[in-house]
Amino acid sequence: MASHIVGYPRMGPKRELKFALESFWDGKSSAEDLEKVAADLRSSIWKQMSDTGIKYIPSNTFSYYDQVLDTTAMLGAVPPRYNWTGGEIGFSTYFSMARGNASVPAMEMTKWFDTNYHFIVPELGPDVKFSYASHKAVNEYKEAKALGVDTVPVLVGPVTYLLFSKPAKGVEKTFPLLSLLDKILPIYKEVIAELKAAGASWIQFDEATLVKDLESHELEAFTKAYAELESSLSGLNVLIETYFADVPAAAFKTLTSLRGVSGFGFDLVRGTKTLDLIKSEFPAGKYLFAGVVDGRNIWANDLEASLATLQSLEGIVGKDKLVVSTSSSLLHTAVDLVNETKLDKEIKSWLAFAAQKVVEVNALAKALAGEKDEAFFSANAAAQASRKCSPRVNNEAVQKAAAALKGSDHRRATNVSARLDAQQKKLNLPILPTTTIGSFPQTIELRRVRREYKAKKISEEEYIKSIKEEIHKVVKLQEELDIDVLVHGEPERNDMVEYFGEQLSGFAFTANGWVQSYGSRCVKPPIIYGDVSRPKPMTVFWSTAAQSMTKRPMKGMLTGPVTILNWSFVRNDQPRFETCYQIALAIKDEVEDLEKAGITVIQIDEAALREGLPLRKAEHAFYLDWAVHSFRITNVGVQDTTQIHTHMCYSNFNDIIHSIINMDADVITIENSRSDEKLLSVFREGVKYGAGIGPGVYDIHSPRIPSTEEIADRINKMLAVLETNILWVNPDCGLKTRKYGEVKPALENMVSAAKLLRTQLASAK
């Protein structure tokens, strides 16, 4: 019985690629050094899968930044501003597209489906001259073959690529991107021809947009594309892979009717309804790649349940056509549980990271073939039983408190307009008030202090002294810059979710459970294994210390319940909304303690609210109802004079703007600049927003420093669609990934732009 892995994490078990990338970007190492680290990682991944017994091993799932950007490079679809003159695309052009450079901004970055992984959005139009400009897919296949591993090269499918693109600047927003299919398919044919010549026997196209609500002309594009590729694919086995949700009936029919395709991959963890379609409509003689091992969470597979599912499918498609697979790429999970030597043993027995999931896939394939590892299955069953009955999972008091939330919508009693008036009397802010989103640069010295405190190499007294010194430095800098509402810079936090999870019950933490978010940015999601509560205040000490250093308003900085949920590995034994309500109650306690301590501005970040939106429109309303309700629970009890901020970033918010309004925050700061200000279009179209709003005026994920004039121009565009008295001026996101040499001049220019506009507005009266 065959086994298959959709994709694998790239960063390495100890984030080797992250450090190699950052060293290269900082000019401390060469391209050859970076390429060697990457080659060593690829080699170890392929060897691990081969040694485990996986038959269908992926290649070309490794990336220096993002697989969609890799496809843009493959197609030579480089925007003109990067001055690429043709030929094989090198690191300079590639990383300029991803990160920007001193003279031009980066391309837009947004979330990959409903995950916390980000991709670089292709910018396309009728004048793009496509050419075969990156041979990465072929080179990596050859590299694996030279190591004795025959792989399945993976390409982002041509239709999914176009559906995830956007019209380039200057191109009509209504430009039909699918009209470019005829222009990109010749490049796909060149890649296919080279892979065939190199000896590939299988090729995988990731066409995951098939799980979304597609219109008939979009479904027809799949039929057209694969009919056009059929002759080129002759002699190859072709797998079309989908993931993250059910495939709708119409899409399933289109998919399984594609010409020249040998097999189809489905997510049977998040897409359980697809099982019914498989049982009634799966085409005879085709391979079924059954994604029964969860690629997006870290819980050990229920092997007996998965085996039963596979056995039922075996009766439908035949023993020789069933392939055991992961539900999606393992990119979205941590790398290897072996590295977690300090994790609680019982909790550890409930988990499986990427390396363990590879073993699970192989164990299921062997069991189907009559070679069941009884000891392995028995240990798995014992861990499943342990988790179900463990007293550390259930807290009756928390469950009762969450159940009592039903029946109220938890909305503040006074409307936002009246609250803003009361807050202005207390805060006395200028028009176009300036602020930042929360974090300031995390220096090497600061990271050292946190690391040494965690390792008990310095005392708590020394740690507090160091962190207070850092806060004082950040406060002083903001005062010198003349920023209106300050932040303490979050020097005590490595990660906005991890910090809170460490102080909440029901959470567990890893030492090396890193997951790639974008580029070299990695996060270490907490594991929510049980009911959630707050044993004691989490941020009050640091917020009050920071407020004591200034007479200006100091924000209390919290992460919202939906973001904590969406950026964690969440328990799968109860509905997500129940866990979210529990977190909301814990954050509510913190908000009220901050208010009692004299903090008058409290930011509750919901950066990931849009990210969790289900992929299918029919499921949107239910999700948005409980997600928005969870946010309102956190601050329903505060006074009118306490200003509640929230922050959102790097998603398309236009389609949920009414839900954002329904959150009833006093001020929202929201990503805007990197997405070419498309957020503003929703206000141009007539949506009225009465609360405070700060669309980001510059992109913090690029080292580029915007000029005062550029920022002033952005603010003017905002003033064309938003009232002066509600507009805030702020960056797109937190500043932790930047250096002070970039942050200080950028913020200087931001404040100068705000003052310039204030002067102009005053003189225009």
Side-chain angles (χ1 to χ4, degrees):
M1 186 62 61
S3 51
H4 167 250
I5 305 297
V6 176
Y8 202 80
R10 309 154 180 160
M11 284 290 126
K14 299 287 179 68
R15 295 180 292 163
E16 291 88 343
L17 182 61
K18 168 190 171 66
F19 299 121
L21 282 166
E22 291 173 354
S23 176
F24 174 70
W25 293 336
D26 289 342
K28 296 176 182 176
S29 61
S30 66
E32 290 75 19
D33 294 330
L34 175 58
E35 288 166 344
K36 183 179 188 312
V37 170
D40 288 346
L41 284 171
R42 289 192 296 266
S43 172
S44 67
I45 291 166
W46 291 326
K47 185 176 188 305
Q48 175 202 354
M49 289 195 226
S50 179
D51 290 349
T52 304
I54 301 299
K55 180 174 181 180
Y56 299 115
I57 297 170
S59 60
N60 199 40
T61 57
F62 179 89
S63 178
Y64 287 104
Y65 210 92
D66 151 51
Q67 72 268 22
V68 180
L69 182 61
D70 292 348
T71 309
T72 294
M74 181 185 86
L75 297 171
V78 181
R81 64 181 177 275
Y82 299 109
N83 296 319
W84 175 63
T85 55
E88 188 81 2
I89 289 174
F91 282 153
S92 176
T93 300
Y94 181 87
F95 288 128
S96 289
M97 290 192 286
R99 307 176 70 238
N101 57 44
S103 57
V104 291
M107 295 168 70
E108 181 184 350
M109 181 169 70
T110 197
K111 300 287 177 77
W112 178 246
F113 291 87
D114 58 347
T115 74
N116 187 31
Y117 177 77
H118 302 63
F119 73 97
I120 303 297
V121 182
E123 302 172 12
L124 305 179
D127 298 328
V128 176
K129 300 290 189 285
F130 295 100
S131 64
Y132 187 12
S134 170
H135 293 66
K136 175 179 174 294
V138 177
N139 292 341
E140 285 189 18
Y141 173 78
K142 290 178 177 177
E143 182 184 331
K145 194 170 184 182
L147 296 169
V149 182
D150 188 24
T151 60
V152 178
V154 178
L155 301 175
V156 175
V159 183
T160 289
Y161 177 78
L162 292 177
L163 290 176
F164 272 166
S165 301
K166 71 172 187 178
K169 201 164 189 176
V171 175
E172 287 292 328
K173 299 301 179 189
T174 56
F175 174 73
L177 292 160
L178 288 174
S179 66
L180 299 173
L181 198 56
D182 289 336
K183 293 186 176 181
I184 69 170
L185 289 178
I187 288 94
Y188 273 88
K189 289 179 180 179
E190 288 187 68
V191 179
I192 291 164
E194 288 193 6
L195 287 169
K196 283 170 73 173
S201 57
W202 276 86
I203 187 168
Q204 175 180 320
F205 293 97
D206 282 3
E207 292 282 19
T209 47
L210 281 161
V211 304
K212 302 186 82 174
D213 296 309
L214 299 180
E215 297 179 14
S216 58
H217 76 279
E218 293 170 324
L219 290 175
E220 287 164 9
F222 289 95
T223 303
K224 175 183 175 181
Y226 288 92
E228 178 64 28
L229 291 174
E230 184 181 14
S231 60
S232 298
L233 292 167
S234 176
L236 279 172
N237 288 296
V238 177
L239 165 63
I240 307 293
E241 186 65 54
T242 67
Y243 34 77
F244 299 153
D246 290 298
V247 176
F252 185 89
K253 186 172 183 180
T254 297
L255 170 62
T256 53
S257 301
L258 294 179
R259 290 159 59 177
V261 175
S262 316
F264 310 98
F266 299 105
D267 182 337
L268 300 182
V269 176
R270 289 182 173 236
T272 52
K273 293 176 186 173
T274 305
L275 278 169
D276 294 332
L277 293 172
I278 292 170
K279 289 172 182 175
S280 60
E281 300 178 33
F282 195 79
K286 302 291 186 180
Y287 287 89
L288 170 61
F289 286 69
V292 294
V293 172
D294 193 348
R296 282 186 58 175
N297 215 330
I298 43 65
W299 303 107
N301 188 271
D302 185 337
L303 294 177
E304 287 292 355
S306 292
L307 185 59
T309 298
L310 291 165
Q311 286 168 337
S312 70
L313 292 172
E314 191 177 53
I316 297 164
V317 303
K319 204 176 190 72
D320 61 331
K321 297 295 182 183
L322 182 62
V323 180
V324 183
S325 184
T326 53
S327 65
S328 67
S329 172
L330 298 175
L331 173 69
H332 310 287
T333 189
V335 179
D336 196 341
L337 201 53
V338 168
N339 297 317
E340 303 306 325
T341 56
K342 296 180 181 177
L343 194 60
D344 178 273
K345 285 186 179 178
E346 183 183 32
I347 293 174
K348 190 173 180 179
S349 74
W350 302 342
L351 307 178
F353 290 179
Q356 288 69 48
K357 289 176 185 292
V358 170
V359 173
E360 288 179 339
V361 166
N362 189 59
L364 286 165
K366 290 179 75 174
L368 268 180
E371 302 171 33
K372 186 177 181 182
D373 185 334
E374 295 291 352
F376 187 71
F377 270 70
S378 178
N380 174 266
Q384 299 290 327
S386 158
R387 186 176 165 214
K388 283 177 183 173
C389 64
S390 174
R392 66 173 67 196
V393 171
N394 301 304
N395 182 321
E396 190 176 345
V398 171
Q399 292 171 2
K400 281 183 179 177
L405 294 170
K406 292 168 185 171
S408 170
D409 67 356
H410 296 89
R411 196 179 293 274
R412 290 167 78 179
T414 311
N415 69 46
V416 69
S417 178
R419 297 198 310 262
L420 289 173
D421 287 344
Q423 292 155 15
Q424 179 58 17
K425 284 174 186 172
K426 188 166 187 174
L427 298 171
N428 193 30
L429 297 172
I431 61 167
L432 306 180
T434 54
T435 190
T436 65
I437 303 307
S439 61
F440 264 65
Q442 300 260 317
T443 63
I444 293 171
E445 173 63 16
L446 179 57
R447 293 178 190 277
R448 181 193 65 76
V449 167
R450 283 203 308 261
R451 190 168 57 247
E452 289 187 355
Y453 176 60
K454 213 163 192 176
K456 299 185 175 164
K457 292 181 179 178
I458 61 173
S459 68
E460 184 173 22
E461 186 179 336
E462 290 173 300
Y463 172 72
I464 289 172
K465 181 175 179 287
S466 294
I467 296 298
K468 281 187 173 180
E469 287 172 355
E470 183 70 19
I471 291 172
H472 187 265
K473 181 177 81 174
V474 169
V475 170
K476 187 180 177 188
L477 173 61
Q478 291 172 92
E479 288 185 328
E480 289 171 355
L481 292 168
D482 205 16
I483 291 173
D484 300 303
V485 176
L486 310 190
V487 298
H488 76 291
E490 304 177 8
E492 79 283 17
R493 309 177 193 183
N494 178 60
D495 177 86
M496 62 187 284
V497 173
E498 181 181 3
Y499 176 79
F500 290 96
E502 284 178 335
Q503 300 181 77
L504 294 168
S505 64
F507 281 74
F509 289 86
T510 63
N512 293 290
W514 298 99
V515 178
Q516 184 184 17
S517 179
Y518 61 86
S520 68
R521 168 83 170 137
C522 297
V523 294
K524 196 165 48 165
I527 298 165
I528 305 177
Y529 66 83
D531 291 330
V532 177
S533 62
R534 186 198 72 147
K536 61 182 181 180
M538 303 179 284
T539 65
V540 175
F541 175 81
W542 296 117
S543 291
T544 52
Q547 184 64 81
S548 72
M549 299 174 190
T550 182
K551 291 181 179 178
R552 301 186 185 211
M554 174 64 64
K555 287 192 218 175
M557 298 300 305
L558 305 175
T559 302
V562 185
T563 296
I564 290 176
L565 183 89
N566 286 334
W567 286 356
S568 297
F569 291 125
V570 183
R571 57 189 294 191
N572 58 359
D573 59 344
Q574 70 176 17
R576 288 172 70 87
F577 70 85
E578 290 186 13
T579 302
C580 199
Y581 284 153
Q582 293 177 2
I583 302 169
L585 287 171
I587 300 300
K588 180 177 186 288
D589 290 343
E590 188 71 13
V591 168
E592 292 171 3
D593 279 348
L594 282 167
E595 184 182 57
K596 287 172 192 169
I599 303 300
T600 56
V601 181
I602 302 171
Q603 181 169 309
I604 309 166
D605 285 347
E606 284 296 14
L609 188 140
R610 174 61 175 78
E611 174 186 312
L613 192 70
L615 299 177
R616 306 284 282 285
K617 290 175 185 173
E619 299 167 16
H620 286 189
F622 178 67
Y623 167 78
L624 289 168
D625 180 65
W626 63 255
V628 169
H629 187 191
S630 296
F631 177 82
R632 289 202 306 265
I633 287 167
T634 65
N635 59 88
V636 67
V638 301
Q639 300 171 30
D640 288 353
T641 50
T642 297
Q643 190 167 83
I644 298 296
H645 288 224
T646 190
H647 170 67
M648 296 182 175
C649 56
Y650 298 103
S651 287
N652 180 9
F653 300 104
N654 293 23
D655 56 347
I656 64 163
I657 191 66
H658 293 289
S659 294
I660 292 173
I661 294 170
N662 198 29
M663 291 170 74
D664 200 29
D666 297 311
V667 178
I668 179 169
T669 53
I670 195 163
E671 183 273 325
N672 173 65
S673 62
R674 185 156 182 172
S675 58
D676 200 24
E677 300 164 344
K678 67 184 176 188
L679 169 71
L680 299 185
S681 67
V682 78
F683 302 113
R684 293 190 193 102
E685 290 159 10
V687 170
K688 298 298 180 188
Y689 195 80
I693 183 167
V697 296
Y698 78 91
D699 174 25
I700 65 87
H701 289 94
S702 169
R704 182 175 168 272
I705 298 164
S707 67
T708 298
E709 294 73 22
E710 181 182 330
I711 294 174
D713 181 58
R714 287 190 185 277
I715 297 171
N716 270 319
K717 288 178 181 177
M718 297 169 193
L719 288 170
V721 293
L722 293 165
E723 296 294 328
T724 307
N725 64 336
I726 65 169
L727 187 62
W728 285 64
V729 177
N730 47 263
D732 262 349
C733 203
L735 304 169
K736 69 184 292 182
T737 60
R738 301 268 56 89
K739 297 179 174 64
Y740 273 103
E742 300 157 351
V743 165
K744 187 175 178 182
L747 291 180
E748 279 177 345
N749 293 346
M750 183 188 84
V751 173
S752 296
K755 289 181 176 179
L756 175 66
L757 268 294
R758 287 173 196 160
T759 302
Q760 291 176 0
L761 288 166
S763 63
K765 285 184 178 178

